[in-house]
Every structure is written in structure tokens, then in C-alpha cells.
Amino acid sequence: MLQDSYGGTLLLIITCGLFFLLALLALLLLPLRLKFGLKIITGLIINGLLVCIGMALTWQQDIRHHQQWYGNSYQQNDGLLICVTEPLITKPKTYKIAGRVQALLRNDSVIPCKGHLLVYLSRDTTSDNPPLKYGDRFITRQKIQLIRNSGNPGAFNYQRYTALQQIFHQVFIKEGGYTKLPGHQRQPFRQFIFSTREYVLNVLRKNIGHNKEALGVAEALLIGYTNDLDKDLLQAYSNTGVVHIIAISGMHLALIYFLLSGLLKKIPFLYQYARPRALLVLAGLWMFALLTGAAASVLRAAVMFTFITIGDTVKKKSCIYNSLAAAAFLMLVYNPGYLWEVGFQLSYLAVISIVVFQKPVYQWFAISNSLLDKTWKLAAISLAAQVLTFPVCIYYFHQFPNLFLVTNMVAVPLSGLVLYIEIALVCFSWFTPVAAFAGKLVGWLVSGMNAFISRVNQLPFAVWDQLPATIATTLLLYALVILLATWLLNKYMLALKWALFCGLGFTVIHACHAWQWSRQQKMIVYQVPKHRAIDFIAGRRYFFVGDSAVREAGVLQHFHLKPARIHYQVRPVPLPARLQQFGMAYQFNDKRIVLVDDHFRFNIPEKKLEVHIIVLSNNPNITITQLAAIFNSGCYVFDASNSLWKIDKWKKECEELLLRSYSVPEQGAFVWDITQ
């Protein structure tokens, strides 16, 4: 903690020093009246100042630098007084709770503190009623744990994701491991938001019917509620390039904005009063943004439309670039962590890309037919949005939806229609005949859209998958795209030359990576909770050993194994030539690996067998002493299919016998480079 604070302070001091050096250099060069030098130095000074401000805000808003943060005072035997800050999220075996720590309980003293953490509460699967609600307070003495990543190569950095939300710890509470306090602490406005969300969800569930897939998409499309969304269907939407219609974004805010503006202009006593009409539009926009959870992409759109509405009200024509810049500045002042959120980045890139490229793309064809012209205009928007978003999409998701244009042409207008019908459904929920008809219509339309997306996703060429990307290749790809666009739009030949240079650099870097991938030899023991999952990688191929539940394509494989296989650019093969299998023993080149599970049977040999790695899985009833009598092993690896208490027991045995051990649940995935 002290090291982190010192490092942030030191970095801030260095940046401020560079800023003042640049200012001094500008003053020295000012009499020379250099043509471009002064502009460049002035730009550097402004950027340096903004960087200083950003770093100062980032440091100040990091709760770990606050003296009252509970992490600075917490001791192992302390109790926690926690307040529930949001409605509980129901998981298969637990409830996920967003909690705010109000105090530490140490002996007979109460230490006031602050900070947020995640609470996982064991769930009674026979009851659907959550034991806690928003505003409830409870005491627990369960030990908090640092949030860690799985350690699987290429996996989503969950620790960084929660850190950006100022959440660094989690606590697991078994049944009876907490004491609920009487009363509650609820903020009226937040309670109103949560109650409204629950009311909207109940209206949708009552009127749409028992089609879970249609209901999940309808809930996500209207208010961004994704807990009922089918994971495979969500992946299909992602593969076909239309996931943005169920991830609340600027498109939804634009639809709400035009709906409110159009309706309020039809009201006679509001038609002539611009300011009250603007206030009602802004109130509706921000209410919708808060109902959907106020994600970064939604806040960006809400702030931008706020500037546009204010500009129209005071008869000032707004510039879209100024509105975007002002919205970004205000959001980053409020929370600098937004800069690293994927939704924030994609939202701004999509809007800028549409503003810059939609008109040139639309002008490719001149269409006289009105219907075809509107269709082409929609297609031009989809094409323009991809120009600046596809490099960052490849970087984060490692895939490109080849049929995005086809799916967007159908899904975007259809989702807009569904959104308007859902709003009407909620508004007229009190009138049963209208609500029932609207609910059936929403269910029918969403089911049709789901069927269309699923069929497109089943096409073999629907998605270009497993695309490699690094920060260097992504930056070069952006440079290539921008330079090519500059050449095409402005006929600037120098831009074409630099684009070719960036393309060459991109090709060279990718070729170097391809050479490394072709020579790699690794064994990976993945961290998949309660499952065994091992990959043997030889060049661009892998051989999987593990449970059937992980072997089948699904959520487990997609979430835990696929990122590593993309990271190493490998494809499946029955058995690599360099890998030989002898029952539960494998020889990879000159390395020998033994897999020990609950079916392992042994006889003590006259001479110990030399092996390099022993992997224990599925809680075998065996001790390290017994294994050490059979094998001379360089390392014992305990995978995530074992119980933690058993792993602790084996680790103690290894320490007593002076043997190396590795716990996958505690240390993350075990990656062994065979060539070393």
C-alpha cells in the first residue's frame, strides 16, 4: 500500500517537473518565432497540464489513498459492519451482494471506515426470497480475501475491472455466518430507482410470457438487466456484431431523446416553451440512464445529449466534436477510471467514426428510390461505425463479425421498434388488454430477432475468430486506418506512404509472433473451479486432457480455456507427435508428466520413477509421502478440482519433505514452458 502511494506520488512529481521544463523551453524559444516549434511546444504544455490534472484526480479518487479506507486498518480477527448498497443478484448457489463497509469491529471497539467490497452469501436453493435487501445492515466475522484473477493466460482481468470500481476485496459467507441488524439505511432516490427497475421487470415478466430467451433480451434491451440473458444467445449476438442493441448504449439514448422531443412538441401548452420542454427531455434521459445502471457508454450519451439540448434551447448551434470532448472531460473528472472501460472507449470511437465517415460512405452511391436510400443510409452508419471500432474490438474480443452489416440492417430497426413497444407496455401496464397485447407482440418480435441472429451465427463464415492482437499491433492498425482514410478523403500522398510503412510494421510484428508460436511447447493446468483442465501445446496445436464438462464447447470452455488458446494461437489436434501417452502418464519430448486422480492405483517399485511434474486432481485419497515413495518429482501441482483443505494438507507435506508444490486455486493457472 505504501509502495503504491509512493509510486503514484513520484510519478506525479516527475510529470509536473516535465511540465515546467516544457514551459521553460517554450519561453526560451518564444523570441525565435519558430514556425511550428511554438505550436508544438504549446500543445505539449497543454497536454502535460491535462496529464497532471488527470493523474492528480486519479490519485485522489483512489480510495486506497484515503486514511479511512477499511483496507488500511483491517486485521485478521476483525468483524465487518456492512450495508447492502444494491439489490441482491441471484447466482446458482450464492447471492452476490454489493456492500459498503461502515465500520470494523475489534474487540469491544467500533472503528468507523469506508470502502466497498463484494459479498457472496450461501443461497438456500429451496427459497427464492433473498435474505437481505437494499439498505439492510449486517455483521460478519468471515475473513475478507483479495480479489484475484484466475491466472489463465489471456483471461479477462477481473481484478483490474473491480479495482476501477474501487473494489479490492471479497468475502464468502456461509449460512449462519452473519447477523442482520434491525432497521435499514436507504437513500430515497436510490430506493425509487431500484423499485422502478423491479416494477419494470415484473411488468415484462408478467406480460411477455414463459419464453426465457425472449424475456432475457427484452429486459436487457429496455433497462440493461442481463441476469436472465442466456449466455449462448449473448455469444451469438456478439459473434454477429449486434451485441450493442442489448448492451444499453448511445443508440438507446438517441431513441429515447427523439421520442421525448417528438412527443413533447405535440403537446399544445409546451410547444411554445422551449426551456420547460428541454427540462422534461433531460429529466427523461437521465432517469432512463439511471434506470439502466448508468454505464459509461450511457453516461456519455446522456451528457452529450444534455449539451445538445441546452444548445438548442439557447439557440446556439452545437458542434458535435465539442459536445463529445466536453462529455468526455466531465466524465473523466468525475471518474478517471472510465477511460479504461471498454464501453466508454467503444462508445466514443463509434460516435466519432460515424460523424467522420458516415457522409463519405453514404456518398458512394446516389439512390433515387426513397426506401432504398434510407436503407443505404442505415448501412452507411453501420459501415462508418466499424472504421474506428474494429481495431479495439479485435484487441479485446479477438474476433470480427463478418456479417455485421446484414444483422445490423435487421436487428437495429427491429430493436428500436421493440424498445418503443416496451415503453408503451410499461406506460399502459395498468390497462390489462393493452399490456397483454404489447407483451405478446414484444415476445413475438424478440423471438423472431433471436431466431434470425442464431441462424446467422450458425453460418460457418459468420465470424472471423481467434484473431491475435497486442497493444503494438492495435496502435499500428489504428495508424494504418487513419492514414488510409486521410489519403482517401484528402488525396494526401504522404499519408499513403506512412500507411504503407505502418502496414509493413504490422506485418513484421505479426510474423515475429507467428515464428514464436510455431516453436512454443507448453503445458497449462487451467484454473477451472471444480474441474480438471490441461492443455499440452506443441507449436500451433494443442491436446486437451480434462473433464467432459470442460471438453464440450460452452461457458466453461469459452470463459476459461478459449482466451489462452487465442493468446497462444493454437488449434486442436488428436495427439501431437511430440506427446506420447501411457495411461495417465505423458511424455512431452524428454519431459515426463503423471496425472493422479481418484482412480490412481499404485505399487511401490524397487526403484523410484523419475518424473518432472505430478498433477493431482479430483481429491485422490493419497498422501504426498506415498507418492514420494514411488516418484522422484520436480514439482507437485494441485489443480482446481481439489478441495482447498486437502490442498493445504498436501502443501504442508511438501514443505516437510522439502518438495516444490504449486496450488492452482491460490496461485492461478500453472504454465510450464517445456523448452526451458
Side-chain angles (χ1 to χ4, degrees), residues 540-561:
R540 303 292 292 269
R541 302 290 182 179
Y542 73 87
F543 177 72
F544 176 75
V545 176
D547 298 339
S548 57
V550 186
R551 187 185 303 274
E552 298 173 359
V555 175
L556 287 176
Q557 186 178 124
H558 180 82
F559 184 77
H560 296 285
L561 276 61

Side-chain angles (χ1 to χ4, degrees), residues 327-339:
F329 179 77
L330 290 179
M331 289 182 64
L332 293 178
V333 167
Y334 171 72
N335 182 5
Y338 282 148
L339 182 62

Side-chain angles (χ1 to χ4, degrees), residues 252-262 281 285 305 308-309 312:
H252 299 75
L253 264 292
L255 292 172
I256 298 295
Y257 174 80
F258 291 123
L259 175 64
L260 291 174
S261 299
V281 170
L285 281 177
F305 279 117
I308 293 174
T309 303
D312 291 341

Side-chain angles (χ1 to χ4, degrees), residues 147-150 152 154-164:
I147 295 177
R148 293 188 176 93
N149 293 321
S150 65
N152 295 329
F156 173 66
N157 193 335
Y158 184 66
Q159 183 182 40
R160 179 173 173 269
Y161 170 76
T162 57
L164 290 174

Side-chain angles (χ1 to χ4, degrees), residues 344-359:
F344 179 88
Q345 296 173 11
L346 287 176
S347 177
Y348 274 93
L349 288 170
V351 174
I352 294 173
S353 191
I354 291 172
V355 170
V356 174
F357 297 109
Q358 189 270 337
K359 187 176 180 180

Side-chain angles (χ1 to χ4, degrees), residues 112-142:
C113 58
K114 62 181 181 179
H116 291 79
L117 81 170
L118 297 178
V119 181
Y120 293 91
L121 179 63
S122 294
R123 177 189 168 202
D124 181 6
T125 55
T126 62
S127 175
D128 293 331
N129 297 321
L132 297 170
K133 297 180 180 179
Y134 163 67
D136 288 345
R137 299 192 304 161
F138 62 93
I139 295 174
T140 182
R141 291 193 176 273
Q142 298 292 325

